[in-house]
Structure formats: C-alpha cells, structure tokens
Amino acid sequence: MKNKTMLKFEILRRAVAILIALAVALIFIFLCADDPLYALECLLIRPIVSNGAINFKSILTILGRTTPIIFTGLAVCVMFSANQFNLGAEGVILLGAFLGSLVAVYFPMAAGLHSVVCVIIAGIAGGVIMLIPALVKVKLKASEMVISLMLNYVILYVCMHFLNYYFADRSKGSVMTYDFLETARIGTVVEGTELTYGFFIAIIAAIIIAIFMFRTRWGYAIRMIGINESFSKYSGIKVGTIIIVSQIIGGVLSGAGGAIEILGRNTNFRWNALPGYGWTGISVAILAKNNPIAVPLAAIFIAYLNRGCELMSIYAGVPSEMIDVIQAVIFLFFAAEQFLSGYRQKLVVKEAKEEISQKNNAQMKGENA
C-alpha cells in the first residue's frame, strides 16, 4: 500500500480500536452507575466542559498530567523501535524522581541551575540502570522483558529502604523526604493548576527524539533492527551496540521525566509505590505506533480519559479503574496484527485496480495520439 493509503488505514484502525474500547467501557458504566448517562457525561464531556462553560483549569490539569507519560512514552518508543521489549521505564522514572529529590533537598545551588542538575543526574542514573537489562540481553541473550520487569521492583524496594531509614522527614505524618529547596522547583505555568514548565520540556524532548529517530544514522539503525535484526546484522550495523544505545536512551528519558515530574508537581518525594507512569507509557507508545511526534497527542488522549474516569469516580460512583479496562482493550486491538486485515486487503486490491486502470487509460490516450 502507498503511504497515503496506509496512513488512512492506520488512522481508521486506531479510531475503531478506541471506539471499541469506549463501547466496552460503556457496558461497564451501565452495569456500575446509578445514572449511566451522567457517568458518560463525566467521562467524555466534563474534563473540558463544566456548567456549560469551558473549564480551562481542567484542561491545564490534563496537559500537566501528560508530562511523565510523554517521557515514558518516548522511552518505550525508542526501545520498542529496536524490538526491545524493555519494561523498565516504570522503575526508572521512580529512581529518577528519588535521586532528583535528594539533589533538590541536600545540595543547594543557584536558581535555574539547581533543577537542571537534578534532571541531568536523574537522567544519567536512569541510563546507567538500563545498562543492566541491555547488557544481559546482548551478552547473555536473556530476555530484557523479564529482567527489566524484575528490576522495577528491585528499584522500588531499594529506594524505599533509603527513604525510610536515611532520608525521611520524621516530623511528617507519613514517610516522605524534606521539602525541596525553592531553587530546585520547576515552576507552574498558571498558578492553581498542575501545568508546569515540564510539559514544554516534554514537547521539546518529543521533537528531539523524532529528529533523532528519523533524521540520524543512529535512529535509522534502531528502526532497522526493529524491522529485521538479521538483515541489520548482515548489512554491517552493530546490532549489540545499537540495542544497548536504545535502552540507555530509554533510561535517560524515563529518569529525567521522573525528576521533572516530582520537582514540578510536588514539594517533596512521597511515592511509596511504583507510580504507574511506565505502564501508561506503554499504552501511549502503542497508540502513537512508536512515532515520537504522535506521543504527546496519545498522552493527552490517555490523560483526558484518566481525568474523565476520575470525575466518574467522584460524581457518578463508577470505579476509577475503568481507565485500566479502556487501556487494556486499546492495547488488545492495537497489538492484534489481523485486526481489520480484511479491510486492508480490500484497500490494497482497490488501489491496485485503480493503478492498472490509470495505466491502461494513459496507454490508450498515447495510442490515440
């Protein structure tokens, strides 16, 4: 199929998958809610419209909540593009948030520089941690998926150990660090909302990763390995090196995203469990089909549904876990290669017939001339 036709098919395929997911959610809403229509309004309309007027504060809240999942979505995009099913973004974003918090609390610096250093250290730490599943995959041929999945919980419990026994503020009612120094905070764009300057950093990161993936030799190598690893090896690409690079980049993005999130929307570190941003990042990458430019749009869509499910839970009594059902159905249909394959085949045949007809018409015109 030509690129234009393929693009139309992919847009249709994604739209149908989303509609099916919403239809499944609708069934559960009718089963759970006392007033299903009001619950549906909370899910689809109230995230941006309240009392008949556009709710700009809610819109900015949705945008603010996309920041961490844009970073994890980009991380997953890079790793999945190299056919590396690394699930470590979940743990690495927590590690980045934790280390960024420690720098924000214990190392005074000038305003502006402080937050940059926090993010850089978090990113470097994330890249170093991702070396573990990358090297194990390249050197020992072990599954990076299994290693990274287990690594998430190692990171969680190591961070919780140090938080509980070394860095907790005992004057607080729950386990958390001391408050960040003001010089380390990432500012809020509009006071009273959750939108921080981290959102714009995430957009810039998406542009940079898109340029890297589609305009550089390294990005081309990553995509070629994802398409055909054996061909890449025989064509001279250093497959092992590229696999390691892709996972390091994923770690840097996740770690930096964790620091940006914690320094923007929090005053101290209080995460006592895996935050879920890594798992959501997988859904974002699948929705974007590993295209970095599409990641922010996919993140906004997921954040919108999250906000809608939150409002349903508050006002309509529908469990907030409904978002997990929607994401699971979307994941199912996006991952199914045969989904709408019959329609794709019809498009191929139709396009081929049109090309043949055009060639025949051109040939007849030439003969008549």
Side-chain angles (χ1 to χ4, degrees), residues 318-338:
V318 178
S320 58
E321 288 77 14
M322 186 62 63
I323 185 62
D324 297 325
V325 175
I326 297 173
Q327 287 183 21
V329 177
I330 291 173
F331 182 93
L332 173 66
F333 284 100
F334 270 66
E337 290 294 330
Q338 296 303 313

Side-chain angles (χ1 to χ4, degrees), residues 130-147:
M130 280 297 196
L131 270 174
I132 297 172
L135 290 174
V136 170
K137 171 64 181 290
V138 171
K139 299 298 183 182
L140 303 178
K141 305 300 179 185
S143 169
E144 75 282 359
M145 181 173 68
V146 175
I147 299 298

Side-chain angles (χ1 to χ4, degrees), residues 16 21 33 43 63 66 73 93 99 102 141 144 156 158 162 191 225 234 278 281 292 311 323:
V16 172
L43 174 64
L63 293 178
T66 63
I93 196 169
L99 292 180
L102 296 184
K141 305 300 179 185
E144 75 282 359
L156 169 64
V158 168
F162 282 99
E191 286 298 325
I225 290 172
Y234 288 115
L311 293 173
I323 185 62

